[in-house]
Amino acid sequence: MDCDQLELHPRIIAAVRRAKLKSVRDVLCVSGPNLQRLTGLSRSDVQQLLTAAATTCRRHPPTPALLLQRGECGGFKSDLRLSVGCPVLDELLRGGLPAGGITEVSGESGAGKTQLALQLCLSVQYPIEYRGLNSGAVYICTEDSFPNRRLQQLIREQSSLRTDVPPSLISSLQFSDHIYIEHAADLDSLQVCLSRRVPLLLARGLVRLLVVDSVAALFRAEFQAADWLERSKQLITFSSTLHHLSLEFTTPVLCINQVTDVFSSSDDSLGPLSSSVSPALGLVWANQVMVRLMMRRLQGTVARGNQSSALRRLEVVFAPHLARDGRDAAVWREGVRGVQT
């Protein structure tokens, strides 16, 4: 942006022009005392100049803490949630996934993480009155192919899962047409996807949920132990992109994560105290996550009619608005449902 476009007194603009500072970037790269020397302006004039220049670089105005508490930040309602599609699990999550920030679901293979993600890809397509977001989902696969057969089964069984929704509405939704699948084999292709294709889908209103399955696959494959510093930088860049997309488009971001074994009996705050595993990628990634959930596969089984399922448990590890708690669950033909105890 040119300095001539700043909303300042013409006297200040003229002084900046005489100093041959053409762009806002030129102004912000010079210290206050040097600006006074170059322009001949007073200290208060320079302060006005710096404030005006900095304001043009800020995409969103600062949000007072009081408005955050009320949930009125820039038109974003802090109580907006995306339902999981199960009353028991929604109760654990106080309505579902928050519309702002990164939610992580970690767990061992077969725990039900991808099942939950697919279920959310369908739930997001329901109208807001049925705790959806009336839009589609983009699903980024980084290690396995997209489980399309399981998705089609979930679509066929939606009337069994969502008994709160009129069957006529369910039959009118073209679920498959509103799930956009991307594959990223390396970090470069992932970054291209997140910086180009995903923002385009979000800006057009075609999607309102972003799923990355899984976040650990690429970062574990591309970096050795000695490359921890570079990996940390890449993780922060990746999470920054996700946070920006979530804030800009009021979009829930769900990241599936792998786990690593815990060999110490000490209290590990990165995962549930009752678990022998901890979410992958360590403290750097944990600091980027707003809500951390873990799905565990338990020893028992549950049966219902002609179906049986291994017992699972969905646990809240940390979240700013949730208690550290958990609910038992099972995976049925229609999806993941909480088990009433």
Side-chain angles (χ1 to χ4, degrees):
M1 181 177 181
D2 292 337
C3 291
D4 291 341
Q5 298 175 268
L6 295 176
E7 296 182 5
L8 290 168
H9 194 282
R11 173 178 52 80
I12 299 177
I13 296 295
V16 171
R17 193 181 298 120
R18 284 195 303 271
K20 297 182 179 180
L21 299 172
K22 297 181 180 180
S23 68
V24 166
R25 182 189 178 109
D26 293 339
V27 170
L28 293 176
C29 287
V30 181
S31 66
N34 282 336
L35 278 175
Q36 284 185 256
R37 180 179 57 81
L38 289 171
T39 61
L41 294 170
S42 66
R43 183 176 178 181
S44 62
D45 287 342
V46 167
Q47 188 60 47
Q48 290 182 48
L49 172 61
L50 288 172
T51 300
T55 300
T56 64
C57 299
R58 187 173 57 213
R59 298 188 65 126
H60 302 279
T63 304
L66 183 60
L67 293 186
L68 282 173
Q69 184 182 18
R70 294 174 180 170
E72 302 172 5
C73 44
F76 167 69
K77 297 297 182 182
S78 62
D79 60 350
L80 185 61
R81 298 284 189 271
L82 171 59
S83 170
V84 175
C86 166
V88 175
L89 301 182
D90 280 344
E91 180 187 23
L92 171 68
L93 303 177
R94 289 192 185 178
L97 267 61
I102 300 173
T103 297
E104 176 203 75
V105 178
S106 60
E108 297 172 288
S109 178
K113 308 182 298 297
T114 297
Q115 305 277 342
L116 193 65
L118 293 175
Q119 192 162 310
L120 285 161
C121 288
L122 302 180
S123 181
V124 72
Q125 300 186 43
Y126 287 102
I128 292 178
E129 56 264 35
Y130 294 106
R131 295 165 294 137
L133 296 178
N134 201 29
S135 189
V138 56
Y139 199 108
I140 303 176
C141 302
T142 65
E143 50 181 333
D144 297 321
S145 58
F146 182 77
N148 189 57
R149 289 181 61 184
R150 176 55 174 156
L151 175 68
Q152 296 306 317
Q153 184 181 41
L154 291 176
I155 291 173
R156 291 192 299 270
E157 300 289 338
Q158 275 297 286
S159 57
S160 299
L161 179 70
R162 297 302 301 264
T163 55
D164 59 314
V165 181
S168 58
L169 175 59
I170 294 177
S171 61
S172 69
L173 294 173
Q174 302 296 319
F175 290 105
S176 296
D177 294 345
H178 302 288
I179 299 177
Y180 301 84
I181 303 164
E182 297 280 351
H183 288 87
D186 51 53
L187 287 177
D188 289 339
S189 58
L190 177 62
Q191 191 61 32
V192 168
C193 179
L194 291 174
S195 61
R196 298 181 186 176
R197 294 193 290 275
V198 172
L200 190 62
L201 292 170
L202 289 166
R204 292 179 176 177
L206 298 175
V207 302
R208 197 78 182 278
L209 171 67
L210 169 59
V211 178
V212 181
D213 185 5
S214 72
V215 66
L218 299 183
F219 287 95
R220 277 182 159 179
E222 296 200 14
F223 297 101
Q224 302 298 320
D227 302 326
W228 63 270
L229 182 58
E230 181 60 27
R231 190 185 78 161
S232 297
K233 291 179 180 178
Q234 293 284 348
L235 268 173
I236 293 172
T237 300
F238 166 69
S239 65
S240 176
T241 303
L242 295 183
H243 280 296
H244 169 74
L245 293 172
S246 180
L247 176 64
E248 184 76 11
F249 300 101
T250 318
T251 297
V253 174
L254 178 66
C255 290
I256 307 298
N257 195 6
Q258 301 169 355
V259 292
T260 184
D261 290 325
V262 175
F263 297 102
S264 172
S265 60
S266 61
D267 182 355
D268 183 0
S269 61
L270 298 182
L273 300 180
S274 57
S275 177
S276 60
V277 295
S278 180
L281 301 180
L283 193 58
V284 172
W285 170 248
N287 286 331
Q288 314 304 317
V289 174
M290 186 178 77
V291 178
R292 167 162 281 177
L293 308 174
M294 178 172 275
M295 286 200 74
R296 297 192 295 124
R297 188 164 177 151
L298 307 179
Q299 292 295 325
T301 59
V302 288
R304 190 193 65 186
N306 61 351
Q307 296 186 65
S308 63
S309 168
L311 192 62
R312 274 87 167 178
R313 186 167 179 82
L314 180 65
E315 296 183 317
V316 177
V317 180
F318 60 72
H321 62 294
L322 300 176
R324 193 160 183 170
D325 199 0
R327 295 289 187 278
D328 289 345
V331 178
W332 308 108
R333 277 195 296 265
E334 68 270 22
V336 181
R337 303 184 85 159
V339 175
Q340 299 279 11
T341 55

